[in-house]
Amino acid sequence: MPRDATGTGDTGLVGPRLTASVRRSGATSVVTVTGELDRDTQEPLRAALSEAVEQRLERIVVDCGGLTFCDSTGLNLLLTARMDALEVGSGLELAALRPPVDRVFGITGVVAVFTVHDELPADLAEEEQS
């Protein structure tokens, strides 16, 4: 597989293996992540989480509904972002963990340090559909 020359992660045959975006909804930064999160693809999420933390809003919700894989690098990235968020007075929450990702979080015990929503909260999801 060719590497993405921009440094935003590996590219597959049809594009990047991981994408991440940030949007604001009131006092919340919503980070939407899609694809496979590992050592080689972490940069888009790292950049999105940094942007969300810099906004210094009340909370950050990471929508993991499109996240299909997460290894220890991804766990570490989210744990670090949680600590960064706490340092600026924000909270970091996770939403819509798919079964393979949820299992990794459960086995490692990482899920215990996050507020986890079964799905993206309705007040945030509604804006996304607009």
Side-chain angles (χ1 to χ4, degrees), residues 68-91:
T68 58
F69 175 81
C70 181
D71 71 359
S72 61
T73 301
L75 294 174
N76 188 43
L77 177 58
L78 290 166
L79 287 167
T80 299
R82 177 183 171 273
M83 296 303 296
D84 292 345
L86 290 172
E87 285 181 15
V88 298
S90 298

Side-chain angles (χ1 to χ4, degrees), residues 8-29:
T8 58
D10 283 348
T11 56
L13 298 175
V14 294
R17 289 183 22 223
L18 185 94
T19 60
S21 62
V22 182
R23 65 180 173 80
R24 184 177 178 162
S25 177
T28 303
S29 289

